[in-house]
Amino acid sequence: SSYYNLLRRPRNAFGISGGYQGKHFYVDINLRSYGERSDIGFDANFAQVEEALKAYTLLDAYAEYAFFADRLKVFADAKNLLNTRYAEAYGYNTMGFNIRAGLGFNLHR
C-alpha cells in the first residue's frame, strides 16, 4: 500500500553489531534503534484510542572467556546497557539494565 499503518512497527529501524574472537576470548556488541510507532490503547470507557510509542535505542554486550583447552567458559551477557526506558506494547513495561552471567563446561573434547 502507499500509506503506513502497521501497529507496533516503526517506519525506521537500524541495527549494527560487531564482534571480536581471540584465542580464548570472545566479545560482541549490538546496537539497535527503533523509530516512533503507534499502538492501540483503551480509555476509561474501554473505547480504542491510538497511542504513540516513543523511539528508543538499545545497547547490549556479550563476553566470554575459555579456560582449560576450551572445556570451561565464563560468560556475561549485559542487556540495555544505557538503561533505556521504553515500551514495545502500550501499557507494558520492559526490563531496564540487566546482566546474566555463568559458567559453561564441555566434558568431551
Side-chain angles (χ1 to χ4, degrees):
S1 74
S2 61
Y3 53 92
Y4 181 82
N5 62 352
L6 297 175
L7 291 177
R8 298 185 191 148
R9 299 288 183 246
R11 183 176 294 232
N12 301 304
F14 169 80
I16 188 167
S17 178
Y20 173 76
Q21 177 73 56
K23 185 172 181 177
H24 300 287
F25 183 72
Y26 174 72
V27 65
D28 179 74
I29 296 178
N30 187 355
L31 179 73
R32 295 171 311 212
S33 183
Y34 301 94
E36 187 176 284
R37 61 236 177 276
S38 62
D39 198 358
I40 298 293
F42 297 93
D43 66 11
N45 297 320
F46 299 102
Q48 287 187 352
V49 177
E50 186 172 324
E51 301 286 348
L53 299 175
K54 295 179 182 177
Y56 63 94
T57 300
L58 298 175
L59 179 64
D60 302 332
Y62 175 85
E64 73 178 35
Y65 190 84
F67 299 93
F68 307 116
D70 293 339
R71 289 182 184 238
L72 176 66
K73 292 183 180 180
V74 177
F75 69 89
D77 190 12
K79 303 288 187 187
N80 195 1
L81 287 168
L82 304 174
N83 200 28
T84 303
R85 297 183 138 223
Y86 66 101
E88 292 179 339
Y90 180 75
Y92 291 88
N93 293 331
T94 52
M95 290 184 72
F97 169 74
N98 62 90
I99 189 166
R100 174 175 73 98
L103 297 171
F105 59 91
N106 185 350
L107 298 176
H108 302 287
R109 222 163 260 214

